[in-house]
Amino acid sequence: MSISAVLFDLTGVLTTSPWPHLTAAAGGNVELLVGSYHEDGAHPWHRLERGEIGFAEWFQDVSALAATAGVELDLTPLAALRDELVVYPQVVARVLELRRAGYQTALITNNVREGSNMWRSLLPVDELFDVVIDSSEVGVRKPNRAIFDLALRELGVDDPATAVFLDDLESNVTAAVNAGLHAILVGDPPDGALDELAALLVEHPR
């Protein structure tokens, strides 16, 4: 079956990963800060990424969790995140090539409302993507299958087997596969994943 749509995660795929900053802010206990990233649950970070609460409420809630666990939070690394995220030019170039070649493209990002202006300033979003799905705007986040279904609906893709998704977290890749898409796990650097994508598109030409 032909692949007609290519969907991308943001951080860790189009840019370097934020996870070192998150780990540093949590004193190494990153799950305390963001919850289990293998599920879409009730942790304050999950609620933040679904747009149910703002950053201030998240900080209040997660500070209480940290105090109970005896962990000291230092959000200084998060403040530095914007200046230290680096865009991968080879991935940006590949997205532009795909769009020029007639593929539909989409961005699916777990993000927070307060971060929207920051990450959008890093990339020519409208030039790159036909559809942008920001978890904090749509009220659902990866790895919930509903976010993939939403992206495909907005692209007008009826069969998920005609789409491929790239993400740097195995749980999100697994979720995409369970939703019926092809999926590729992205490493650092992302060049190997771009090679996998090229091979997949040759195997399933438009």
Side-chain angles (χ1 to χ4, degrees):
M1 184 171 289
S2 299
I3 291 176
S4 61
V6 187
L7 293 66
F8 294 83
D9 176 33
L10 177 61
T11 56
V13 176
L14 281 146
T15 75
T16 50
S17 174
W19 287 102
H21 297 80
L22 292 167
T23 302
N29 190 348
V30 71
E31 189 161 322
L32 184 147
L33 194 68
V34 302
S36 170
Y37 231 67
H38 302 294
E39 63 183 5
D40 182 23
H43 187 278
W45 186 268
H46 297 185
R47 298 181 62 213
L48 178 67
E49 288 191 330
R50 290 195 299 264
E52 297 167 3
I53 60 175
F55 194 84
E57 187 175 346
W58 164 78
F59 181 67
Q60 182 179 14
D61 291 348
V62 83
S63 293
L65 293 176
T68 299
V71 174
E72 184 174 348
L73 296 179
D74 175 12
L75 297 191
T76 304
L78 292 186
L81 183 59
R82 183 200 183 284
D83 294 329
E84 295 183 11
L85 279 181
V86 176
V87 173
Y88 290 123
Q90 67 270 44
V91 181
V92 171
R94 186 66 174 124
V95 179
L96 289 170
E97 289 171 4
L98 289 167
R99 203 170 185 193
R100 283 196 293 265
Y103 289 93
Q104 292 180 285
T105 60
L107 180 72
I108 305 179
T109 175
N110 282 359
N111 231 299
V112 304
R113 287 195 305 259
E114 291 89 342
S116 179
N117 289 338
M118 181 275 283
W119 69 258
R120 285 178 176 273
S121 72
L122 297 174
L123 298 160
V125 176
D126 293 336
E127 293 179 34
L128 293 170
F129 302 107
D130 299 293
V131 166
V132 174
I133 304 294
D134 181 328
S135 65
S136 67
E137 295 178 356
V138 300
V140 64
R141 61 188 289 280
K142 298 173 290 184
N144 192 320
R145 173 178 179 150
I147 201 167
F148 300 105
D149 293 340
L150 174 62
L152 295 179
R153 282 199 306 273
E154 293 209 4
L155 285 169
V157 174
D158 296 324
D159 187 344
T162 63
V164 56
F165 175 61
L166 289 83
D167 198 289
D168 64 318
L169 293 182
E170 190 169 353
S171 56
N172 292 338
V173 167
T174 298
V177 170
N178 290 340
L181 292 80
H182 300 271
I184 294 172
L185 182 64
V186 179
D188 182 14
D191 302 81
L194 294 180
D195 291 341
E196 283 189 57
L197 174 62
L200 187 65
L201 296 181
V202 168
E203 184 179 351
H204 300 277
R206 291 177 65 248

